[in-house]
């Protein structure tokens, strides 16, 4: 049986209808020799992120000038928005992007594809914000027999999650859409329409689509937080190019300092952060994300600097078990030195290096 590569189409940016950013040919200035010393001269940091709720630290960090302040006058921040994980990873591989906020499956895919050479995770960003929403008449797993359930993409993070959960409940699925429960991969924006029309009976999706489906008459059957230890699992982490990390470790430190500061803002000033997200998405797409929807989805997310490595490894194991990918050795994926420096500087507990 041919196995699919592990990848994750970014699941929320469909809402914002943002096209993948034009990457252009701008190259980072300064020392690109790959040395381990500090930067010499001006440096441009090209930072990728997705204009949605699960990337709140990035959105707020850019919108409120937090990253720019931490990076200082000698570093030019060049933010780029994307609507797909593979597009952001391709930009990293091509040298058009130095760092990006991204989900767990594209992270694993990038690490595996480059044989552990091209990328490192330097911080977490967000946890949670995913659920299985179904029609009101469905009250348990066995009621899903013969039903159609949507996921964002075959083999993506949520697709793996529901297939693994169904297997634990004794229910079968196939990549072709067969088995006890028929899994129907489709874009999240389409899922709202198919749920309303009755073409699907539910969906395992991230916010804000969970809230949108609930508002359309659905109910949460499974809150994915309940399936993880301490209700924590990575949904977004901060990834950097290994080449950029080696050439400009001081800039990466400043970036991670900015991530910690952005999360502090998000957690201590939620109303301002929510408004900033709505405004930022409006600037990018021409249509602000409904503030009420952001507030509804907000409590299901935890904005944490901990990348929760154990959950990324478990997600990979689940994908292997449901035969959607091959095993991957994740040794060397994480470099949390910069994160722990940033946390120590502000008096916060350090994160254990996996």
């Amino acid at each position: 049986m041919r196995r699919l590569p592990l990848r994750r189409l970014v699941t929320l940016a469909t809402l914002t209808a943002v096209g993948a950013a034009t990457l252009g040919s701008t190259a980072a200035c300064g020392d690109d020799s790959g040395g381990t010393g500090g930067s010499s001269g001006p440096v441009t940091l090209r930072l990728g992120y997705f204009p949605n709720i699960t990337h709140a630290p990035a959105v707020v960090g850019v919108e409120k000038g937090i990253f720019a302040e931490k990076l200082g006058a000698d570093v030019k921040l060049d933010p780029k928005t994307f609507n797909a994980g593979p597009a952001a990873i391709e930009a990293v591989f091509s040298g058009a992007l130095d760092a990006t906020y991204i989900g767990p499956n594209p992270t694993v895919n990038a690490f595996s594809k480059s044989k552990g050479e091209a990328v490192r995770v330097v911080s977490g960003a967000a946890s949670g914000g995913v659920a299985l929403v179904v029609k009101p008449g469905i009250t348990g797993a066995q009621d899903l027999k013969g039903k159609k359930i949507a996921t964002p993409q075959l083999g993506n993070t949520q697709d793996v999650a529901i297939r693994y959960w169904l297997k634990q409940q004794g229910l079968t699925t196939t990549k072709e859409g067969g088995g006890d429960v028929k899994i129907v991969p489709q874009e999240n924006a389409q899922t709202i329409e198919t749920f309303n029309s009755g073409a699907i009976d539910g969906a395992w999706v991230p916010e804000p689509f969970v809230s949108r489906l609930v508002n359309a008459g659905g109910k949460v059957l499974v809150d994915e937080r309940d399936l993880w230890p301490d209700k924590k699992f990575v949904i977004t982490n901060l990834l950097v190019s290994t080449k950029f990390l080696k050439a400009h470790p001081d800039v990466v430190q400043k970036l991670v300092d900015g991530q910690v500061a952005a999360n502090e803002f998000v957690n201590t000033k939620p109303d301002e952060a929510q408004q900033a997200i709505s405004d930022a998405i409006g600037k990018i797409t021409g249509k602000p994300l409904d503030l009420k929807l952001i507030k509804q989805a907000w409590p299901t997310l935890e904005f944490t600097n901990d990348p929760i490595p154990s959950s990324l490894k478990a997600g990979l194991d689940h994908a292997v078990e449901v035969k959607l990918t091959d095993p991957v050795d994740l040794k060397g994926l994480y470099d949390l030195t910069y994160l722990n420096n940033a946390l120590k500087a502000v008096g916060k507990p350090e994160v254990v290096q996996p």
Side-chain angles (χ1 to χ4, degrees), residues 127-195:
S127 166
V130 181
L132 170 60
V133 182
V134 296
K135 296 290 186 181
I138 298 173
T139 60
Q142 295 307 311
D143 292 337
L144 294 173
K145 275 192 175 182
K147 299 294 193 294
K148 293 182 179 180
I149 304 296
T151 63
Q153 183 187 37
L154 178 63
N156 97 307
T157 303
Q158 286 77 50
D159 190 72
V160 168
I162 187 171
R163 292 175 190 273
Y164 180 77
W165 179 77
L166 287 169
K167 185 176 181 180
Q168 301 302 107
Q169 310 304 312
L171 297 170
T172 62
T173 63
T174 71
K175 288 184 290 186
E176 296 74 26
D180 294 329
V181 182
K182 303 181 188 309
I183 304 298
V184 185
Q186 57 188 227
E187 293 188 1
N188 288 326
Q190 182 185 359
T191 293
I192 305 300
E193 300 170 4
T194 52
F195 185 79

Side-chain angles (χ1 to χ4, degrees), residues 47-58:
L47 178 65
Y49 68 100
F50 305 88
N52 58 49
I53 302 174
T54 59
H55 287 230

Side-chain angles (χ1 to χ4, degrees), residues 276-290:
I277 292 168
S278 178
D279 292 343
I281 291 174
K283 290 176 184 177
I284 295 168
T285 69
K287 183 180 180 181
L289 185 58
D290 186 350

Side-chain angles (χ1 to χ4, degrees), residues 54-69:
T54 59
H55 287 230
V59 178
V60 171
V62 171
E63 182 74 4
K64 289 294 186 180
I66 297 171
F67 291 143
E69 178 184 352

